[in-house]
Amino acid sequence: QVQLAESGGGSVQAAGSLRLSCVAADNTYRQNCMGWFRQVPGKEREGVAAILTGSGTTYYADSVKGRFTISQDKSKNSVYLEMTSLKPEDTAMYYCAARPWGGCGFPFRQSSYAYWGQGTQVTVSS
């Protein structure tokens, strides 16, 4: 069983920044694609960013392009989400996910991600 642990969430004012971290246990970092998703209560979970771990190719939802940056540190089995210019609508529980096959095709297809973390809450106040 692959384990993912997110951290770095918190409360911040609009226009502020946060950096989320996702540490993968064991061999998770052999996973093909790592993604960040978010969910607001009562709404569907949505993809935010993804990274193809082999090449470092990144993918972003339109709503976060230019504001969020996904990155990785293979030596630490970690993926990061740097969030800047935060808006109240970014408020959500943020989840890290790992996909063991298929590259990052359709990067926000949630059913293709086999492993999920428990989430970290991000709250942005106006």
Side-chain angles (χ1 to χ4, degrees):
Q1 179 66 30
V2 171
Q3 293 183 340
L4 302 171
E6 304 97 333
S7 63
S11 297
V12 64
Q13 289 191 327
S17 300
L18 281 174
R19 186 189 193 216
L20 305 184
S21 299
C22 172
V23 179
D26 302 319
N27 298 323
T28 305
Y29 229 76
R30 295 180 185 175
Q31 308 300 315
N32 229 228
C33 183
M34 301 288 290
W36 284 98
F37 293 78
R38 66 186 182 186
Q39 188 171 25
V40 175
K43 293 188 177 181
E44 291 188 0
R45 187 162 51 190
E46 63 174 356
V48 174
I51 185 166
L52 188 60
T53 57
S55 66
T57 302
T58 58
Y59 307 83
Y60 296 96
D62 288 342
S63 59
V64 305
K65 279 181 182 176
R67 300 189 299 121
F68 290 12
T69 303
I70 188 171
S71 61
Q72 62 179 342
D73 185 338
K74 294 182 180 181
S75 68
K76 296 182 180 179
N77 286 355
S78 294
V79 174
Y80 307 99
L81 187 67
E82 187 78 37
M83 306 185 295
T84 64
S85 301
L86 283 162
K87 305 175 182 179
E89 51 264 44
D90 294 318
T91 295
M93 185 71 78
Y94 283 71
Y95 298 91
C96 175
R99 178 193 290 188
W101 54 78
C104 272
F106 299 101
F108 303 134
R109 178 182 286 173
Q110 297 179 46
S111 60
S112 64
Y113 286 83
Y115 311 109
W116 293 82
Q118 294 300 307
T120 185
Q121 177 68 36
V122 172
T123 302
V124 184
S125 58
S126 58

